[in-house]
């Protein structure tokens, strides 16, 4: 006989979220005769997984299957009594309950599920070990916050359900393909089913998809928390449920029928807290200052002190992993820990009670400031992509560090330094809106003058340009340049001037009474020749637009130049003068990052004013220098600029090869705008090579990619002239209806297919 007393209703509901991979593992290990212990944080679904596995396996156990709630047994001495009582085994005078249980099971082929074993783990391990010896055909599945440490045990960590990507939480629109993909994510599917039960008529739609994605992500994919949130749909709309999740223990506090330890989310997590030692509880509380994942070095730097010696931290981390407080996962070449949001919030409450929150948050800020400084310092080199992946992995921690609200002068300098050092996140990853917010906030907080303020201003100018705000970019860049020169930081001054020049030169306007040069950038002195002499002779590093009162292009204070109306040419000349002067003063080397940034911008500006051969020569030289450093990010930009030049030199095959190489790099960097720029060049090359269908489809792919981009400023550089000419040519070849049909076909390709198509060959179409 099979007995799942009081749990048939659970069994009926278990199949809603498949967990097929975990179920297959349980079936395999039970088939090998091993006891299986399902471990995981409270509410993750261990009990339901055990019940579902038992349901699927019970045909293989003709003598019975039992489900026993160990959490209702409070003392080790009562364990065997509780198990026999749950299984309906009659007491036998003169025999211990363990002996009675063994006698009952000895000749049976049966399955026993022991649920909630963590508080009696040693006693349960001993009992199961004894029963396995005397009843070799009985199989055991246990659930606990940590393994039972018995011979032959197989521990299966039950992880939260998969959650939507962060990008899904920020989408403004969901196309049908996006909605179908989202609906297949297990956490979303669970919420949609439970919400429809609580509020008949609820369905996942394009209008509420982003909210559902945010809710499932905020709740870490924990089934119990998702179900409690869905139940709240009976009494409040989805946006209100989501809005109240800042205090998730309050909004998810409603009781549900079932296990006593799962009456509310708070008690589910509190049950784990009770099972921890004082040192484990202290570390749990301190770990709550971390967001998302973190590594062991970060834990030691932030959490260790006299109360938690650094030498004890690794063992404490291992014990918290063993007790399912922490999840452990590999990340690239290192190991990272993760504290689920619900578990983190519980620990944060304890940290506040201990009076340690502010101290831990400052230590957290200081640690990630040092890491950000190292990334900034080492960015330009062969380890760039590894550093970039580390930045992305710790994005949540950097956001938390930026939110630290210290009020002293040292704190203000640290805030400036951190916001500026994170420029690869703002510029490379394309988080320009967020970067602008942080940089403007720290600069508005009355920061003291100094190198930190100059760097923050410079990177605010960069972000403003990426946001297509040319006026702010130019004014802020000039302020940053002056302050950098005050602190004799020639390379930062060059970066600021580069930002102003590219903003002005690509927008086509000069502020104030700017004058253009009579001299072509191809004239005396050369562009980027690294000859060691400034163009025009003897300007010096300060003289290259460095006088007080000069505008962003350094016009005031120099001899006026006759107007030519060619802003890009003027910007190229001014930036060339600045670059040559800095190299002449030996303030930097030609293969430093900032000179290479400037060289690429000069090439872009020369492309804008038609100096194609000279631009190509400069850009090829810059690509060689980048390759020598192992740089990928700026190299991919240079390849894009060079591909534009090759298009205009009527060399579409060369342009396509450059853009294809750059696209592969942009995809690695998750740079949506950069990828869109390469796609536009590939489309233009395709139509020039006799492939208007490919061009139209690539336009559709680019449009789809652009929906996720956050850096509109770069559209000033490419998405106008390159796109317009390619579209015109493709429409002429195909006709409007065919062009639009092929473009729409490209726009709905899934990501993998779209990438493969874009990186494919440019075959001539018949």
């Amino acid at each position: 006989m099979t007995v799942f007393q009081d749990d048939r209703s659970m069994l009926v509901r278990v199949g809603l979220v498949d967990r097929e991979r975990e179920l297959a593992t349980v079936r395999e290990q039970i088939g090998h005769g091993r006891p299986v212990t399902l471990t995981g944080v409270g509410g993750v679904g261990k009990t339901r997984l055990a019940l579902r596995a038992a349901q699927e396996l019970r045909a293989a156990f003709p003598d019975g299957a039992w489900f026993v709630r160990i959490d209702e047994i409070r003392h080790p001495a009562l364990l065997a009594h509780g198990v026999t009582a749950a299984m309906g085994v009659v007491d036998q005078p003169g025999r211990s309950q363990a002996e009675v249980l063994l006698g009952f099971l000895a000749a049976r082929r049966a399955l026993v599920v022991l649920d909630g074993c963590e508080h009696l783990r040693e006693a349960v391990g001993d009992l199961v070990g004894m029963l396995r010896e005397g009843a070799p055909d009985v199989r055991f599945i246990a659930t606990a916050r940590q393994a039972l440490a018995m011979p032959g045990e197989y521990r299966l960590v039950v992880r939260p359900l998969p959650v939507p990507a962060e990008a899904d939480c920020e989408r403004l629109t969901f196309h049908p393909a996006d909605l179908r993909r989202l609906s297949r994510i297990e956490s979303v599917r669970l919420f949609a089913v439970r919400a429809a039960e609580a509020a008949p008529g609820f369905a996942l739609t394009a209008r509420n998809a982003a909210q559902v994605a945010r809710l499932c992500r905020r709740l870490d994919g924990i089934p119990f928390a998702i179900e409690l949130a869905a139940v709240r749909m009976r009494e409040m709309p989805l946006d209100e449920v989501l809005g109240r999740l800042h205090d998730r223990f309050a909004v998810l506090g409603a009781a549900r029928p079932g296990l006593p330890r799962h009456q509310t989310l708070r008690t589910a997590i509190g049950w784990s807290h009770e099972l921890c030692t004082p040192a484990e509880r202290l570390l749990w509380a301190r770990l709550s200052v971390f967001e998302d994942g973190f590594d062991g070095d970060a834990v030691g730097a932030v959490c260790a002190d006299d109360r938690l010696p650094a030498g004890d931290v690794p063992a404490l981390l291992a014990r918290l992993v063993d007790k399912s407080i922490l999840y452990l996962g590999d990340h690239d070449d290192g190991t990272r820990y993760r504290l689920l949001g619900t578990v983190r919030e519980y620990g944060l409450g304890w940290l506040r009670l201990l009076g340690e929150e502010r101290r831990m948050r400052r230590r957290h800020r200081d640690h990630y400031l040092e890491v950000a400084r190292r990334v900034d310092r080492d960015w330009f080199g062969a380890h760039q992509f590894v550093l970039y992946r580390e930045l992305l992995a710790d994005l949540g921690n950097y956001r938390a560090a930026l939110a630290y609200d210290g009020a002293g002068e040292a704190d203000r300098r640290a805030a400036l330094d951190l916001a500026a050092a994170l420029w690869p996140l703002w510029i490379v990853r394309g988080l320009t809106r967020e970067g602008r917010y942080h940089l403007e906030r720290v600069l508005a907080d009355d920061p003291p003058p100094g190198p930190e303020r100059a760097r923050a201003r410079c990177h605010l100018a960069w972000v403003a340009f990426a946001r297509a705000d040319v006026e702010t970019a130019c004014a802020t860049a000039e302020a940053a340049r002056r302050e950098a020169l005050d602190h004799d930081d020639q390379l930062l001054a060059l970066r600021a001037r580069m930002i102003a020049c590219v903003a002005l030169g690509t927008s086509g306007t000069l502020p104030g009474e700017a004058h253009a040069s009579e001299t072509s950038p191809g004239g005396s002195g050369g562009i980027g020749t690294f000859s060691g002499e400034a163009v025009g002779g003897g300007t010096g590093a300060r003289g290259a637009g460095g006088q007080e009162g000069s505008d962003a292009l350094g016009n005031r204070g120099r001899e006026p130049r006759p107007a030519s109306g060619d802003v890009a040419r003027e910007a190229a000349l001014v930036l060339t003068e600045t670059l040559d002067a800095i190299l002449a003063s030996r303030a930097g080397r030609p293969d430093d990052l900032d000179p290479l940034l400037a060289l690429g911008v000069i090439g872009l500006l020369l492309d804008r004013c038609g100096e194609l051969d000279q631009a190509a020569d400069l850009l090829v030289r810059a690509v060689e220098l980048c390759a020598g450093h192992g740089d990928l990010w700026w190299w991919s930009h240079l390849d894009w600029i060079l591909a534009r030049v090759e298009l205009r030199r009527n060399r579409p095959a060369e342009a396509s090869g450059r853009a294809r190489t750059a696209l592969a790099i942009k995809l690695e960097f998750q740079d949506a705008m950069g990828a869109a720029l390469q796609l536009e060049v590939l489309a233009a090359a395709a139509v020039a090579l006799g492939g208007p269908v490919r061009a139209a489809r690539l336009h559709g792919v680019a449009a789809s990619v652009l929906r996720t981009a956050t850096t509109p400023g770069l559209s000033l550089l490419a998405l106008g002239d390159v796109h317009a000419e390619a579209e015109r040519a493709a429409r002429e070849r195909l006709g409007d209806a065919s062009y639009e049909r092929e473009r729409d076909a490209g726009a709905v390709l899934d990501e993998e297919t779209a990438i493969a198509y874009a990186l494919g060959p440019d075959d001539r179409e018949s």
Side-chain angles (χ1 to χ4, degrees), residues 165-186:
E166 187 172 359
D168 288 325
C169 303
E170 304 301 328
R171 281 182 183 270
L172 299 178
T173 60
F174 275 82
H175 294 272
D178 297 324
L179 198 62
R180 287 193 297 272
R181 174 184 53 78
L182 189 70
S183 69
R184 291 193 291 267
I185 298 173
E186 290 179 320

Side-chain angles (χ1 to χ4, degrees), residues 547-604:
Q547 300 91 339
E548 293 297 327
S550 62
D551 67 16
L553 291 184
N555 288 297
R556 195 174 307 162
R558 296 190 302 171
E559 290 298 318
R561 294 171 173 164
S564 71
D566 193 337
V567 180
R569 190 181 304 278
E570 169 74 355
L573 181 57
V574 169
L575 186 55
T576 299
E577 290 178 339
T578 306
L579 174 59
D580 283 353
I582 284 177
L583 295 176
S585 69
R586 299 187 182 276
R589 304 188 319 170
D591 58 351
D592 288 336
L593 174 58
D594 290 293
L596 278 174
L597 289 173
L599 190 58
V601 168
I602 294 168
L604 176 62

Side-chain angles (χ1 to χ4, degrees), residues 28-45:
E28 179 185 4
Q29 297 303 322
I30 289 293
H32 293 327
R34 301 178 68 178
V36 175
T37 302
L38 307 177
T39 66
V41 72
V44 79

Side-chain angles (χ1 to χ4, degrees), residues 16-27:
L16 288 173
V17 177
D18 294 333
R19 297 273 198 188
E20 287 299 335
R21 190 178 306 171
E22 293 92 335
L23 285 167
T25 300
V26 174
R27 290 193 298 267

Side-chain angles (χ1 to χ4, degrees), residues 411-560:
D411 287 322
R412 291 199 297 275
R413 288 189 183 277
L416 286 167
D417 205 2
L418 180 60
L422 291 175
W423 70 267
L425 286 176
W426 317 143
I427 300 299
V428 181
R429 183 62 181 88
L431 301 178
T432 54
R433 189 187 305 275
E434 183 176 352
R436 182 167 188 166
Y437 166 79
H438 287 301
L439 287 162
E440 287 183 337
R441 178 179 59 83
V442 297
L443 285 166
D445 192 27
D446 192 26
E452 299 89 354
R453 190 173 73 176
R455 284 172 51 78
R457 280 178 168 171
C458 181
H459 293 144
L460 174 58
W462 203 348
V463 169
F465 166 62
R467 300 293 309 166
D469 184 351
V470 173
E471 184 176 354
T472 298
C474 293
T476 309
E478 175 60 11
R481 186 187 66 82
R482 292 179 184 176
E483 191 161 4
L485 290 175
D486 287 341
H487 298 284
D488 198 30
D489 190 338
Q490 305 281 0
L491 291 178
L492 183 63
L494 174 62
R495 183 175 296 193
R497 171 136 292 175
M498 176 207 71
I499 294 165
C501 286
V502 72
L504 292 167
T506 56
S507 66
T509 58
L510 278 174
E513 297 180 358
H515 301 280
S517 171
E518 287 183 302
T519 309
S520 163
S524 174
I527 301 292
T529 58
F530 306 119
S531 61
E533 295 184 5
V535 173
T539 59
R542 181 87 176 179
Q547 300 91 339
E548 293 297 327
S550 62
D551 67 16
L553 291 184
N555 288 297
R556 195 174 307 162
R558 296 190 302 171
E559 290 298 318

Side-chain angles (χ1 to χ4, degrees), residues 306-317:
D306 292 342
R307 295 181 64 192
L308 279 180
D312 295 347
V313 166
L316 288 170
L317 286 170

